[in-house]
Amino acid sequence: MIKKVFSTIRFILVNLMVLFFLLFLVNILSSYLLKWTREPSRAELPNYSDSRAMAKKVIAEYNQQAFGYESFTGWRNKPYAARYTHVNENGMRYYPNAYVADSAYKKVRFFGGSTMWGEGSPDSLTIPAIFQAKNPTIQVYNHGQLAYNSRQNVEVLINLINKGEEIGDVIFYDGVNDVSFLCPSDVPVPGHRLAPIFDKKIYGGMKAVAFEVFNKLFLDKTLLLIQKINPPDYDQQYNCDANPEKVQAIVDFMISNWKLAHELVTNRGGKFTAILQPIAYVGNPKVEHLKLGKELGENVQLVYDALITRIKEENFDWIYIMTDAFDNDEYVYIDFCHVSPNGNQIIADRIQSVIKP
């Protein structure tokens, strides 16, 4: 009897080992298949027809970015230095060859997500860098951070005030991250992109750690390949289109954050400007060169429509709607929100005309 039990256990263990080995093997094979079926680089888009070599390098450097924990905001860029991309010890992107104005001159601080940071562009052609070139006697700071929304930008502003920094004038460039990262059904309002991940990783306990290790070894690449071959139904991922209360919550969230930032800046003698940034789903930009997600687009349009209506109703004279900025015959977008350097030039020109430094 005992011998039979041990024989059964051995049979189960051997089969489990074979199963795990096969899962591991399939996962490795899937990682190679994913590389072979990878979408063409964004550097191949018509936006970069005159600068492909630079674009490839810029995008490669972007993919090498590393991040660390930052109090109150969640994360920020770690220092980095390459040919076209530089991030200083404070996590801020900068252009090493830019003219640096004397500290006595006026300060203008730009806040936003990766579009403000300059994804898809070299240091010299981000929105703040172009603005700096237009206004060499102004001190310009790029506080943009990847995936930051309007609330995180407020936290960065408060951190600067806590440190005793002179604030000067402030520009918030928001909209994309507040909508695309708050409309998913598993993200609360207020919240940010990594809220569900932080919850699992920090408070999930040993069970979450064990699952993550198991997933990394045996499943993650296989699941990605399955999703690539048979894309999931994302109607369940975004729920703003089925949840009017959430749409209103996001609108209130953004307006409230902008009002708070406005108060913080103006009370310190500065000028505050909020900009509702362009996004490929709103207006009439040239986007036939892109594959855009329908579900995200429907959710974005709902929130943007409600937000634009609210801005016009309350008649804020310090909020500017720039959703029409790319309604021209140029290739500007490189995905649903990021743009090539010509897009940054357009926005920098619009900002210049608005704040009149």
Side-chain angles (χ1 to χ4, degrees):
M1 181 67 180
I2 295 176
K3 188 176 180 180
K4 189 175 181 180
V5 170
F6 277 113
S7 177
T8 303
I9 293 173
R10 185 174 63 181
F11 175 79
I12 293 171
L13 289 175
V14 168
N15 278 276
L16 283 173
M17 289 175 65
V18 171
L19 174 63
F20 288 145
F21 176 74
L22 290 174
L23 287 173
F24 180 72
L25 204 61
V26 170
N27 206 42
I28 291 177
L29 180 61
S30 296
S31 68
Y32 285 105
L33 290 173
L34 282 168
K35 290 178 182 178
W36 293 338
T37 58
R38 187 172 293 168
E39 295 289 336
S41 168
R42 289 185 291 180
E44 300 302 318
L45 291 171
N47 310 48
Y48 298 110
S49 58
D50 298 327
S51 55
R52 298 226 186 274
M54 180 205 72
K56 287 178 181 177
K57 187 66 176 170
V58 165
I59 291 168
E61 290 174 2
Y62 168 79
N63 291 328
Q64 292 169 0
Q65 295 299 300
F67 304 88
Y69 174 75
E70 177 72 1
S71 296
F72 304 107
T73 60
W75 63 90
R76 77 175 186 188
N77 282 71
K78 288 186 176 180
Y80 180 81
R83 182 175 180 182
Y84 294 110
T85 310
H86 290 81
V87 178
N88 67 19
E89 66 279 1
N90 296 316
M92 294 166 55
R93 192 171 185 188
Y94 68 100
Y95 177 37
N97 297 323
Y99 173 79
V100 180
D102 186 271
S103 60
Y105 284 94
K106 179 179 180 178
K107 293 175 173 57
V108 177
R109 300 181 183 273
F110 288 80
F111 294 75
S114 51
T115 48
M116 181 59 71
W117 183 89
E119 181 176 341
S121 299
D123 295 324
S124 60
L125 295 175
T126 65
I127 295 169
I130 295 170
F131 184 86
Q132 175 74 85
K134 289 173 173 289
N135 304 281
T137 58
I138 290 177
Q139 284 195 314
V140 175
Y141 299 84
N142 185 351
H143 294 283
Q145 289 286 339
L146 275 58
Y148 272 22
N149 62 30
S150 57
R151 173 60 181 273
Q152 289 167 295
N153 292 329
V154 172
E155 298 296 345
V156 177
L157 178 60
I158 292 172
N159 286 344
L160 290 168
I161 294 170
N162 287 160
K163 292 177 182 177
E165 295 275 355
E166 180 187 343
I167 301 303
D169 291 351
V170 168
I171 297 164
F172 271 32
Y173 189 67
D174 294 314
V176 166
N177 293 338
D178 293 82
V179 180
S180 61
F181 296 141
L182 291 179
C183 273
S185 55
D186 59 345
V187 181
V189 182
H192 58 64
R193 180 183 184 180
L194 298 186
I197 297 174
F198 282 4
D199 185 52
K200 290 176 184 176
K201 287 184 177 290
I202 298 173
Y203 301 108
M206 289 305 298
K207 187 185 293 185
V209 174
F211 176 79
E212 185 174 350
V213 172
F214 180 85
N215 184 60
K216 195 75 175 175
L217 286 173
F218 303 112
L219 290 176
D220 61 343
K221 298 298 186 295
T222 304
L223 293 174
L224 283 173
L225 183 62
I226 291 170
Q227 289 179 2
K228 193 173 186 66
I229 295 170
N230 183 28
D233 180 8
Y234 282 110
D235 283 331
Q236 296 179 2
Q237 180 182 356
Y238 300 102
N239 68 346
C240 283
D241 54 347
N243 190 345
E245 291 79 13
K246 191 168 190 180
V247 171
Q248 190 57 51
I250 294 173
V251 171
D252 292 343
F253 174 77
M254 287 189 67
I255 295 294
S256 186
N257 292 331
W258 283 345
K259 282 182 176 179
L260 179 55
H262 180 270
E263 183 178 345
L264 289 169
V265 174
T266 55
N267 283 349
R268 286 162 177 78
K271 179 181 179 181
F272 177 78
T273 302
I275 295 170
L276 179 60
Q277 68 185 110
I279 191 166
Y281 298 110
V282 178
N284 297 290
K286 193 171 184 176
V287 293
E288 68 270 15
H289 61 305
L290 300 173
K291 294 179 181 178
L292 299 175
K294 181 183 176 184
E295 292 77 19
L296 175 59
E298 291 171 349
N299 281 262
V300 164
Q301 286 177 324
L302 277 171
V303 182
Y304 259 63
D305 287 348
L307 187 56
I308 290 169
T309 299
R310 175 79 174 275
I311 292 168
K312 290 179 177 178
E313 284 176 352
E314 297 204 24
N315 197 28
F316 297 105
D317 60 359
W318 44 269
I319 300 179
Y320 294 86
I321 301 167
M322 294 193 182
T323 52
D324 64 341
F326 305 139
D327 290 358
N328 54 44
D329 201 37
E330 287 186 66
Y331 290 109
V332 174
Y333 286 106
I334 60 174
D335 57 29
F336 79 99
C337 66
H338 300 106
V339 301
S340 43
N342 57 327
N344 291 336
Q345 182 70 58
I346 292 169
I347 295 299
D349 289 344
R350 290 280 288 264
I351 293 173
Q352 177 85 9
S353 68
V354 162
I355 70 170
K356 299 179 178 63

